[in-house]
Amino acid sequence: MKKQLFIIAFLGTIHATNAQYTKDINTNRPSSSMGAYSVSKEIFQIEGGFSYQNDTFENNNENKQQNYQIQLRYGDLLEQLEFIGEFNFSSNQITNGNLNETNSGFRQLNFGAKFLLYDHYKYYVEKRNVYSWKANQRFKWKRLIPAISIYAGAQFNTKNNLYYPNLPDVGLKTMLIAQQHLSKRFSITYNFIGENVTENEFINIGYIVTASLGINNNWSLFGEHQGSISRKYFNQTVPFENDAFLKVGITFKVHQNLQIDGFTGSNFQNNPNKIQAGLGVSWRNHKKYQFKDPTEL
């Protein structure tokens, strides 16, 4: 009897340890990066927003963009596995001298899956020193060890990409994701991204670094730097300054399953000079974990 109880308890511990469900919503917004953790098995989450971008060129030409982004996330099969669909719709108004042109449509569609390879906090628990307040406040170097995930998916490019309209119709998008929790309220996420990785003429290797700071239980701030390491367009190297972008923003948790956000950002050069601002919302269906008897599995 004791042996059976031990096995049940052990299996229950494995179930709880592998779980990634969090009390509060775990959302990627309003950053452009992707976090290492999944939404958890059987959780559905939708994250969407609107952004406005104004691009001004040195010759006084101007592009005005209205962008709508939706990301659908669903955890299934394993706690560490998440399926993701991303939809980006743009409406562009281009002013070139006396020429005014307007077009709209889906700019890019992505469908893929993310898998958590390693979760440092699954094995690491900080111990409190009951004899020393100073020891408890000291920075723990093991916090630098990140959680690691990988992402792979199909990238569907359309002709509505304003700056790169002739990309291949379908490409492979891959991503290596690392996420550090340096304290209970401060984290840094790193994305190393490969787009169109099977097409040497159009391959893009980029990165996103996002820092998030929780002010209290409801408010948080974020800052983000996004850029390219190498981009090719018809085998011609594109200067990385064209894609370097800096964003800052704020989020507010309405309740544990709903968050709203706002952000603004700009690039680092004048041709074009890009100014962007946006608002968004994230929502998930609510689920509470219930212990399942391992003997009934």
Side-chain angles (χ1 to χ4, degrees), residues 56-217:
T56 305
F57 295 81
E58 290 179 346
N59 58 5
N60 293 325
N61 291 342
E62 191 176 43
N63 298 329
K64 296 179 180 179
Q65 302 180 45
Q66 299 179 53
N67 303 307
Y68 304 86
Q69 310 92 20
I70 294 179
Q71 187 176 93
L72 305 178
R73 304 171 61 187
Y74 183 71
D76 200 9
L77 301 178
L78 299 169
E79 288 289 344
Q80 302 92 333
L81 182 62
E82 176 180 297
F83 296 95
I84 304 167
E86 298 178 273
F87 307 86
N88 295 279
F89 184 90
S90 294
S91 176
N92 306 313
Q93 181 181 350
I94 304 170
T95 303
N96 187 352
N98 295 323
L99 176 65
N100 291 312
E101 180 182 349
T102 301
N103 63 69
S104 61
F106 284 99
R107 180 163 50 91
Q108 192 179 93
L109 308 174
N110 299 322
F111 299 93
K114 179 180 68 178
F115 184 77
L116 179 68
L117 294 175
Y118 175 75
D119 180 7
H120 172 58
Y121 282 91
K122 176 181 175 181
Y123 307 99
Y124 170 61
V125 178
E126 293 184 2
K127 296 181 179 179
R128 295 189 61 81
N129 188 329
V130 297
Y131 302 103
S132 173
W133 179 89
K134 185 177 180 180
N136 291 327
Q137 301 306 310
R138 187 181 300 125
F139 181 77
K140 311 299 190 297
W141 290 100
K142 287 186 177 181
R143 294 176 183 173
L144 294 175
I145 302 174
I148 302 293
S149 291
I150 55 173
Y151 168 91
Q155 173 181 328
F156 296 89
N157 303 302
T158 71
K159 306 304 179 184
N160 292 294
N161 190 316
L162 190 61
Y163 293 101
Y164 306 102
N166 296 306
L167 294 173
D169 292 338
V170 183
L172 174 63
K173 182 175 182 178
T174 59
M175 195 182 309
L176 176 65
I177 304 166
Q179 185 170 343
Q180 296 173 312
H181 290 272
L182 303 183
S183 73
K184 291 183 178 180
R185 294 188 180 275
F186 183 64
S187 66
I188 303 178
T189 302
Y190 310 86
N191 286 185
F192 300 95
I193 308 162
E195 295 182 299
N196 303 308
V197 296
T198 56
E199 305 287 338
N200 290 330
E201 285 186 304
F202 301 98
I203 189 169
N204 175 35
I205 306 299
Y207 65 89
I208 307 174
V209 180
T210 305
S212 179
L213 175 64
I215 302 173
N216 53 40
N217 291 334

Side-chain angles (χ1 to χ4, degrees), residues 262-281:
F263 70 91
T264 185
S266 178
N267 66 336
F268 296 96
Q269 68 170 27
N270 294 322
N271 195 32
N273 178 31
K274 303 178 182 180
I275 302 295
Q276 187 182 81
L279 298 170
V281 62

Side-chain angles (χ1 to χ4, degrees), residues 29-30 220 222 248-252 260-264 277-281:
R29 286 197 58 87
S220 65
F222 94 100
V248 293
I250 192 167
T251 69
F252 177 73
I260 57 177
D261 61 74
F263 70 91
T264 185
L279 298 170
V281 62

Side-chain angles (χ1 to χ4, degrees), residues 2-66:
K2 290 183 178 179
K3 185 177 180 181
Q4 290 177 336
L5 291 174
F6 173 79
I7 293 174
I8 292 173
F10 177 72
L11 292 174
T13 301
I14 292 177
H15 174 78
T17 304
N18 288 337
Q20 293 187 66
Y21 179 82
T22 55
K23 178 183 177 181
D24 296 319
I25 186 171
N26 164 28
T27 174
N28 294 322
R29 286 197 58 87
S31 70
S32 300
S33 63
M34 190 178 292
Y37 295 94
S38 76
V39 291
S40 184
K41 189 176 179 182
E42 298 180 4
I43 288 287
F44 171 75
Q45 187 163 307
I46 181 169
E47 305 173 11
F50 166 80
S51 64
Y52 175 82
Q53 182 170 315
N54 187 39
D55 303 345
T56 305
F57 295 81
E58 290 179 346
N59 58 5
N60 293 325
N61 291 342
E62 191 176 43
N63 298 329
K64 296 179 180 179
Q65 302 180 45
Q66 299 179 53

